Amino acid sequence: MAREGSLEAPTRHPIDWRSPDFYDADKLDRELHRVFDICHGCRRCVSLCTAFPTLFDLVDEGKTGELDGVDAKDYTKVVDQCYLCDLCYMTKCPYVPPHEWNVDFPHLMLRAKAVKFRDGEIRFRDKLLSSTDALGKLAAIPVVAQTVNALNANGPARSAMEKVLGVHHERKLPPYTASRFRSHATRAKTNGTTNGERTPGKVAVYATCYVNYNEPGIGDDLLAVLDHNEIPYVLVEKEACCGMPKLELGDLDAVERLKRVNIPPLAKLARDRYAILTAIPSCTLMFKAELPLLFPDDADVKAVAEAMFDPFEYFVLRNRDGLLKKDFKQPLGKVSYHIPCHARVQNVGQKTRELLELLPGTQVNTVERCSGHDGTWGVKTEYFANAMKIGRPVFRAMAGTDPDYISSDCPIAGRHIEQGMGETRARRAHPLALLRIAYGLAERP
Ligand code: SF4
Ligand code: SF4
C-alpha cells in the first residue's frame, strides 16, 4: 500500500528529454492524467498559483466531478498557467520522489511546454520575449535604448505594443541601459586570494542578461562589495543567456545551444577554484539545478553547478569563514525583503535575510511568498491580471511595516511588487545595493 506522504528528503529525477517518449503526445497525456488525478485528490496547492485552481475548476465543472469528466484538450489550460516557479514541488507536495507516486508537477509542466513548442504552438511574442540576450543587445545600443525606454513609457505606443505583441499596456517594463555592465565594469582592486574553509577567495561574475542590459547598477554594487572585502574578481570571459527563459518556453534545443556557449568558460573557472556568482536567482538556479538535471552525465555542467553561488550565500559563508568585513556605517531602517521562489528552491536557506539582519540599525520584514511575476509570464496580456492577483498578498505584506526600502533578490519581482504596492514612500533597492549602502560605499557612476 502506498504511504501517505514521504518522510524522506525530496529528490529530483533527471529530465529525460532526449528520449522519444518525452515528446510522445499520448504518453504525455497519460502522465498528465495520472498526476492531475493525484492533485485532484489532494488539492494542497490550490492557493499557490492559478494553475491548480484552473485544474480544479475544470474537474468541478466537468460532467462527472472527477478527472474523467475533463477533456484532455483542456489540459493545456493548466500548463499555460504554470510559470515553473517550483514552489509546489518544493514547499507543498508530499508525493515528490522518492515517494512512489513520483509527482514532479513543474517538470511535468515543462515536458508539456516542450511538446507544445516542438509542435509549433508558440507565438512569435513568446519567442521574442524569451530571447533576452538578442533583445538586450539591440535595445541597449545608446540611441536605441533611449527610444525603446521612451516608447515603453508612452501610452499610445504601449497600446499598439499590446495589440501587436501581447505585452500588457499597464505592465511597467524595466528600462534598457545605454551603458552595459560588461562594457563598463571596473577591474578588481585586489590581487591577493584568501581562501576560506567554505569559500574560494576569488570570484568570477556571470553578469546575466538582466544586469548587463537592464540594471547594470546591481552588477556594479556586487563589484563594489567584493572590492570592499578585498576579494579579487573577474568577469566571465564570454557569456550568453543562462537559458531559463527558453526553458520556461519549452525550447530545450535552445537551452542546449546556450549551454554550449556558457559551460566551457564557466567550467574552466570552476576548475581554477573560482566561486561563480550571479546576481539573478533564476540564472543561478539554471546552473545549479536545471542544467544538471537536463545534462546529468556532463562533468563540466556538474563542476559549474558546484562552483555556483548566490551572492548572499557566498557572503554568509564568507562571514562564517571569518572573512567578511563588518564595518557597516549606514543603518537602513525598515527593510521589507521578498525572497523570490527561484532563491527558495536553491535550497540554501534565507541567506539574504541572514546577512541583512547583521546590519546595525536595520529591521527586516521577510516576505516568503510567490509574487506571481516570473521572468516574462506576468508581462503578457493574458496573464497580467493573474500575476497581479497572485502578488496581492505579497504587496500587502511588503507595505505592512511602512518600510524605508523594499527589496527582492529578483529585480523583476522587485519591480512587480513596487507596481502592485502603488503609492509608497519606500525606495526599491536590490539587496546588493542595500549592502553597498550599509558599507557606506558610493554608488558607481
Ligand atoms: S511550478 Fe509554480 S506556477 Fe507551476 S504549478 Fe507549481 S506553484 Fe504553480
Ligand atoms: S502538486 Fe502535490 S501537493 Fe500539489 S496538489 Fe498536486 S499532489 Fe497535491
Side-chain angles (χ1 to χ4, degrees):
M1 208 172 103
R3 214 176 43 220
E4 174 55 30
S6 181
L7 299 174
E8 288 149 85
T11 54
R12 237 169 174 177
H13 296 309
I15 302 168
D16 196 15
W17 66 287
R18 294 188 205 267
S19 140
D21 282 0
F22 187 84
Y23 287 102
D24 183 307
D26 291 335
K27 287 189 174 138
L28 169 64
D29 272 353
R30 279 206 290 280
E31 181 61 1
L32 285 169
H33 186 95
R34 184 187 77 83
V35 170
F36 285 178
D37 205 27
I38 295 172
C39 293
H40 158 51
C42 163
R43 300 205 174 202
R44 261 171 244 231
C45 291
V46 71
S47 63
L48 283 184
C49 63
T50 40
F52 291 100
T54 302
L55 170 62
F56 303 145
D57 285 352
L58 285 169
V59 173
D60 296 343
E61 288 157 14
K63 284 193 207 95
T64 61
E66 298 292 338
L67 197 68
D68 60 11
V70 177
D71 187 339
K73 284 198 197 78
D74 285 339
Y75 289 173
T76 188
K77 293 180 180 166
V78 180
V79 175
D80 288 346
Q81 295 294 328
C82 172
Y83 41 83
L84 302 180
C85 72
D86 266 353
L87 275 205
C88 49
Y89 178 91
M90 285 300 298
T91 66
K92 291 271 183 195
C93 191
Y95 309 123
V96 299
H99 191 276
E100 61 187 294
W101 288 359
N102 186 23
V103 173
D104 184 337
F105 198 93
H107 279 174
L108 179 57
M109 297 301 99
L110 171 65
R111 179 178 168 196
K113 286 171 192 284
V115 170
K116 201 171 164 184
F117 186 87
R118 190 156 277 197
D119 290 347
E121 295 168 30
I122 295 292
R123 292 176 61 175
F124 166 74
R125 183 266 321 262
D126 297 342
K127 289 186 186 166
L128 183 74
L129 290 178
S130 63
S131 303
T132 45
D133 211 0
L135 263 183
K137 272 190 188 118
L138 180 66
I141 294 169
V143 178
V144 180
Q146 281 133 14
T147 312
V148 171
N149 294 339
L151 289 174
N152 282 345
N154 174 292
R158 288 299 302 269
S159 298
M161 199 197 283
E162 176 158 341
K163 278 200 194 91
V164 179
L165 280 181
V167 172
H168 198 282
H169 67 280
E170 286 177 41
R171 166 60 68 208
K172 290 189 182 155
L173 297 170
Y176 281 97
T177 179
S179 174
R180 297 176 201 181
F181 170 68
R182 282 178 59 84
S183 326
H184 74 226
T186 50
R187 283 173 172 275
K189 291 187 178 147
T190 321
N191 289 319
T193 300
T194 310
N195 290 322
E197 197 187 319
R198 301 162 187 82
T199 49
K202 55 187 182 179
V203 158
V205 176
Y206 172 86
T208 77
C209 300
Y210 188 84
V211 168
N212 200 25
Y213 302 120
N214 296 102
E215 280 197 61
I218 297 171
D220 298 332
D221 292 339
L222 173 58
L223 302 189
V225 172
L226 290 170
D227 271 337
H228 184 70
N229 281 285
E230 295 169 29
I231 300 167
Y233 58 77
V234 293
L235 294 198
V236 176
E237 196 184 329
K238 187 174 178 210
E239 69 171 65
C241 170
C242 69
M244 183 61 93
K246 294 294 182 192
L247 181 88
E248 289 172 348
L249 197 61
D251 184 356
L252 301 183
D253 293 328
V255 171
E256 185 172 30
R257 283 195 296 277
L258 294 165
K259 172 223 160 212
R260 274 196 225 116
V261 179
N262 284 320
I263 291 297
L266 288 172
K268 183 171 184 320
L269 290 161
R271 296 210 164 92
D272 288 346
R273 294 258 315 136
Y274 280 86
I276 306 170
L277 267 54
T278 103
I280 305 293
S282 299
C283 312
T284 319
L285 184 70
M286 189 70 191
F287 289 110
K288 272 189 177 188
E290 301 293 2
L291 286 178
L293 289 171
L294 286 163
F295 305 96
D297 302 323
D298 190 319
D300 282 355
V301 168
K302 188 167 182 282
V304 172
E306 284 166 2
M308 187 68 65
F309 290 81
D310 170 88
F312 282 86
E313 176 193 7
Y314 179 80
F315 291 134
V316 165
L317 293 175
R318 201 76 184 145
N319 187 37
R320 288 191 197 150
D321 281 339
L323 292 167
L324 188 82
K325 291 193 180 173
K326 281 183 275 187
D327 52 344
F328 301 114
K329 297 188 175 63
Q330 175 74 41
L332 298 177
K334 289 185 281 183
V335 175
S336 266
Y337 161 65
H338 166 254
I339 174 162
C341 306
H342 282 176
R344 288 172 73 181
V345 299
Q346 285 176 37
N347 245 343
V348 294
Q350 298 185 351
K351 291 294 184 283
T352 304
R353 176 189 57 76
E354 211 177 304
L355 194 56
L356 292 177
E357 284 180 349
L358 287 180
L359 308 178
T362 303
Q363 301 88 50
V364 185
N365 162 38
T366 303
V367 178
E368 192 184 23
R369 194 175 172 137
C370 180
S371 74
H373 189 290
D374 182 59
T376 58
W377 191 80
V379 311
K380 296 174 186 174
T381 306
E382 65 273 34
Y383 304 127
F384 174 76
N386 278 349
M388 298 308 276
K389 184 172 144 200
I390 295 166
R392 220 171 284 143
V394 175
F395 309 151
R396 267 200 304 273
M398 291 289 281
T401 52
D402 184 27
D404 298 291
Y405 289 101
I406 53 168
S407 191
S408 172
D409 302 284
C410 172
I412 299 176
R415 287 178 177 276
H416 173 57
I417 291 166
E418 185 180 43
Q419 176 166 3
M421 283 171 66
E423 200 64 25
T424 172
R425 72 177 186 89
R427 274 180 62 196
R428 174 177 48 79
H430 189 271
L432 287 165
L434 295 179
L435 194 52
R436 173 187 54 74
I437 295 167
Y439 275 127
L441 306 173
E443 197 172 351
R444 296 193 177 183

